[in-house]
Amino acid sequence: MDPLPLYIGGRFVNGAEPTQTIVNPATGATIARAARATPAETEAAIQAAREAFDDGPWPAATAARRGRVLLEIARRLRESADRLARLETENMGKPIIESEFDVADAATCFEYYGGLATKVTGDVNPVPDEALSLTLKEPVGVCGQIIPWNYPLLMAAWKIAPALCAGCTLVLKPAEATPLTAIELARILDGIEDLPKGVVNILTGDGPDAGAALASSERVDKVAFTGSTRTGRTILRAAAESNLKRVTLELGGKSPNIFYADAAWEPAIEGALFGVFVNQGEVCSAGSRILVERRIHDRFLDAIVEKARTIRLGDPLDRATRMGPLVTAAHRERVAGYIEQGRREGARLVLGGVRPDRELAAGAYLEPTIFAGVDPGMTIAREEIFGPVVTVMPFEGEADALRIANATPYGLAGAVWTRDIYRAFRVVRKLRAGIVWVNHMQPTYVEAPWGGMKMSGAGRELGRYGVENYLELKQVHVNLNEAPTGWYA
Ligand code: ADP
């Protein structure tokens, strides 16, 4: 099995040994080997991006041309959608219908930033002088982009599309376990003549090596990271201790999903489950804390348990499957550790918590898991589990709901379900979260900003805000007064 190549300076190069084994988590079978970029290979990728930025045509290309390149990437992604979706599912384990959705979403992201390229404008500032004061927007430079394994292709799109829109060059590092669609994306990009070589470099490798090198390089101007809060902190420190590069972080969460008694019942039950079990719960915005108004708590708990029993766990390539395996066996063990801890701390396991047997035994599967009798102070109610595990807690009144909802260091997302629009908006305003859904949970749009408050991150991706993080502002003052100032008269 030939290892997957690195993509550096517009060339596919074989990495030096050793390689990383890539496993299909549904079967445990080895499906590929990926390169693990060495320090020299990482440096070569940074150098290629540096040259493409400092001496290449891309940063100065017209916005229209950059936009057309982005639209062409989108077109080719759609053309290869079936193959990409299959690869994503084989590598990551998510149900094929979710992978298809992700590939379409990735294409939409390139289309959005393709269209936005010609709409990024500066300002004329009303200074009190005979002068023209301009604010120009310029690409921030070479970007290091480090992404997680839960939405491999989509996260690559969220990072690459706005960077290219702004005129930046970049080195993208996919997560260790999920490089397949990123390398496929490199092949797609490589075929686009109008995208100069070296603008996009894709480097498979280990976080503490290749990832850390991107974060600490003096020759990288910005790092964009999606992943755990722990690693985000390491990256911020590396940026601070090197060249104070710009940093955007999209980190963990422990998002509350709040249900009032007056909420529409069926959508609420569905939303409680979809909020946390979509993508096997491996979602930064997972609604992993269900808060239910006390007077409907028991009935609501019974209803979600009953419905969760019907979730189809199985072969992720089967279109009927709604939950596949977790990304790796090691991650399943991490999640299982939390389940064990929940039991030890006295929470009541009402569903799941076990690995399915028989034909699914070889995969990294874990059944949807629901805990009741949870105290907000318990580990499972505080820490991000990043798996199909949810805690259900009762609340009594709005103040109580908000107190529990906001009582974590995270602030990525939250949802509230009620028919009372006044109450909904009161809760929206009081939730300390970057994303709040009302009577829904998880819909995500490239047109709207994404990111968290508190320890869930810094900066926002997507929408027109997303491109701003890849731009520097330059203030230009043009004197329109020909006469001397007379200062030394
Ligand atoms: P997880 O623990 O779920 O793997 P991480 O936040 O560690 O989550 O991983 C997200 C991404 O960050 C991956 O691409 C990983 O390789 C990378 N990464 C991990 N450690 C570091 C580090 N010290 N510096 C830079 N990137 C890292």
Side-chain angles (χ1 to χ4, degrees), residues 146-149 173-176 207-208 211-212 225-228 230-231 234-235:
I146 303 168
I147 57 171
W149 44 255
K173 195 199 83 61
E176 290 86 336
F225 171 73
T226 299
S228 64
R230 177 180 38 82
T231 301
T234 306
I235 285 173

Side-chain angles (χ1 to χ4, degrees), residues 98-123:
E98 287 192 38
S99 289
E100 288 168 1
F101 197 81
D102 290 358
V103 176
D105 238 16
T108 304
C109 182
F110 281 101
E111 281 156 3
Y112 178 85
Y113 285 106
L116 191 68
T118 52
K119 284 107 196 152
V120 174
T121 58
D123 280 315

Side-chain angles (χ1 to χ4, degrees), residues 31 36 78 129 137 156 198 204 208 218 237 320 387 400 428:
I31 50 171
R36 289 168 127 154
R78 291 198 192 280
D129 245 325
K137 291 184 177 175
T204 51
E218 304 268 344
R237 197 178 296 124
D400 194 33
V428 165

